[in-house]
Amino acid sequence: MQPIIDIHVHIMPYHMLKPAVLEMIKNGCKDYYADVERYLAQPKTFLRLLDSLGIERAGLINYVAPEIIGLMPEANDWIAQYCKVAPNRLLAFGGVHPGSVADPGAEVDRIAKLGIRAIKIHPPHQAFSPNDYLNGNRGLAAIYERAQANGLPLMIHTGTSIFPGARNLHAQPMLCDDISVDYPDLVVILAHGGRPLWMDEAFFLVRRHKNMYMDISGIPPQKLMEYFPRLEEIAGKVLWGTDWPGPGVPVIKDNIEKFHRLPIGDEAKRKILYDNAARLFPR
Ligand SMILES: [Zn+2]
């Protein structure tokens, strides 16, 4: 059976979330929210879910956005602890918010030592543009510099967010172009491929920059060929992800089945479902 890496799953400390944010997530997965709570409390139960879906590994997305979402720097410690049960299968994504720690560069070094495998930046929820280091945001420059030095991939949310308070001006993929120019060795993953407004920007950037990738999480598989008609051309740079559980994200199993039915070659599917992520996150 084709192994799968789902690089974008929201296992994070839900107890830190602002009430309005948590409410939105709960409404989005009403039918199975009780299960989600069990997965948050018991990583082994979550691993059994992954087993039942044929998912070998999952990227567990955490970031720091105190004002808009409620996630604090301690989210890093929480997810690092969670993933200790099976560090070969659970890939901890952490984050640094330049305004929330005294020394953002040192914080990247600290969380790398904890076992964090990648840094997530969420511009609409952190209220800055991904290239804000060009405007004097030295903390952001330090984050990129230390991520590159530690060999941690950087995932950047692109595309709209409808969470209360999200600032979508910062959600445009093109704002990430500068990063790959200035930090050419940093692996950058554009989460969500700019959906639903800026897919052509994401496609261009992934083709332009050697170390730029995108994930297709949060895109209904039946929309994928409409959003990215030339998906097969960039199959070596695209990572599978679901964004589960979130508003409008159906259960993982349905997504995988729909993806398998798309009119692209088996080799492209294998790269997207597994090979590319396996290469970026060696064991
Ligand atoms: Zn997400």
Side-chain angles (χ1 to χ4, degrees):
M1 207 170 105
Q2 163 70 56
I4 294 170
I5 300 177
D6 184 337
I7 205 61
H8 199 128
V9 172
H10 284 282
I11 293 286
M12 56 188 179
Y14 282 47
H15 60 267
M16 288 184 194
L17 299 177
K18 302 237 175 211
V21 171
L22 185 57
E23 208 42 47
M24 224 173 124
I25 293 175
K26 279 186 182 170
N27 284 334
C29 56
K30 268 195 210 88
D31 309 343
Y32 58 88
Y33 186 73
D35 294 339
V36 173
E37 284 197 320
R38 281 197 302 125
Y39 302 139
L40 295 174
Q42 305 161 0
K44 283 187 179 153
T45 309
F46 180 65
L47 285 167
R48 279 199 291 277
L49 171 72
L50 296 183
D51 288 339
S52 72
L53 295 166
I55 297 173
E56 182 187 279
R57 289 186 255 172
L60 307 187
I61 307 298
N62 282 260
Y63 55 97
V64 178
E67 273 122 53
I68 295 176
I69 301 299
L71 292 168
M72 306 299 286
E74 292 75 24
N76 292 306
D77 304 79
W78 185 90
I79 193 63
Q81 185 61 35
Y82 187 94
C83 292
K84 280 207 175 110
V85 171
N88 275 339
R89 298 187 64 194
L90 304 176
L91 304 169
F93 280 57
V96 181
H97 185 269
S100 304
V101 283
D103 185 340
E107 176 71 352
V108 174
D109 294 340
R110 182 186 81 85
I111 67 177
K113 283 200 200 86
L114 284 181
I116 296 288
R117 300 290 306 273
I119 302 285
K120 171 83 184 277
I121 294 282
H122 201 311
H125 293 176
Q126 294 177 312
F128 56 76
S129 281
N131 65 351
D132 200 40
Y133 63 91
L134 295 173
N135 301 316
N137 188 337
R138 301 182 54 137
L140 192 57
I143 293 168
Y144 296 162
E145 197 271 310
R146 294 317 298 159
Q148 182 173 253
N150 281 292
L152 299 182
L154 183 77
M155 177 185 277
I156 305 182
H157 175 101
T158 63
T160 54
S161 166
I162 49 169
F163 280 104
R167 305 213 174 246
N168 283 299
L169 184 68
H170 306 306
Q172 299 171 58
M174 196 54 82
L175 296 167
C176 302
D177 184 49
D178 289 318
I179 301 173
S180 286
V181 173
D182 295 328
Y183 303 90
D185 295 328
L186 182 58
V187 168
V188 177
I189 303 164
L190 305 174
H192 318 302
R195 65 95 185 92
L197 300 180
W198 303 293
M199 290 77 77
D200 48 353
E201 289 185 17
F203 182 79
F204 164 79
L205 291 171
V206 163
R207 285 177 34 122
R208 177 182 184 204
H209 297 294
K210 178 168 69 75
N211 282 321
M212 197 168 269
Y213 294 74
M214 68 178 212
D215 82 30
I216 49 174
S217 68
I219 302 173
Q222 66 273 21
K223 285 261 182 204
L224 204 49
M225 300 315 291
E226 182 189 314
Y227 281 9
F228 294 98
R230 293 163 67 190
L231 182 68
E232 207 156 4
E233 278 178 50
I234 53 168
K237 305 288 281 296
V238 177
L239 311 185
W240 172 255
T242 54
D243 212 18
W244 175 94
V249 180
V251 294
I252 293 178
K253 192 164 183 286
D254 294 359
N255 262 9
I256 296 170
E257 280 164 11
K258 282 181 192 151
F259 179 77
H260 275 300
R261 274 184 248 127
L262 293 181
I264 56 171
D266 288 344
E267 194 189 333
K269 284 177 187 161
R270 198 187 67 231
K271 286 179 179 170
I272 293 171
L273 287 170
Y274 188 81
D275 294 357
N276 298 330
R279 204 168 63 243
L280 294 183
F281 295 93
R283 298 227 216 219

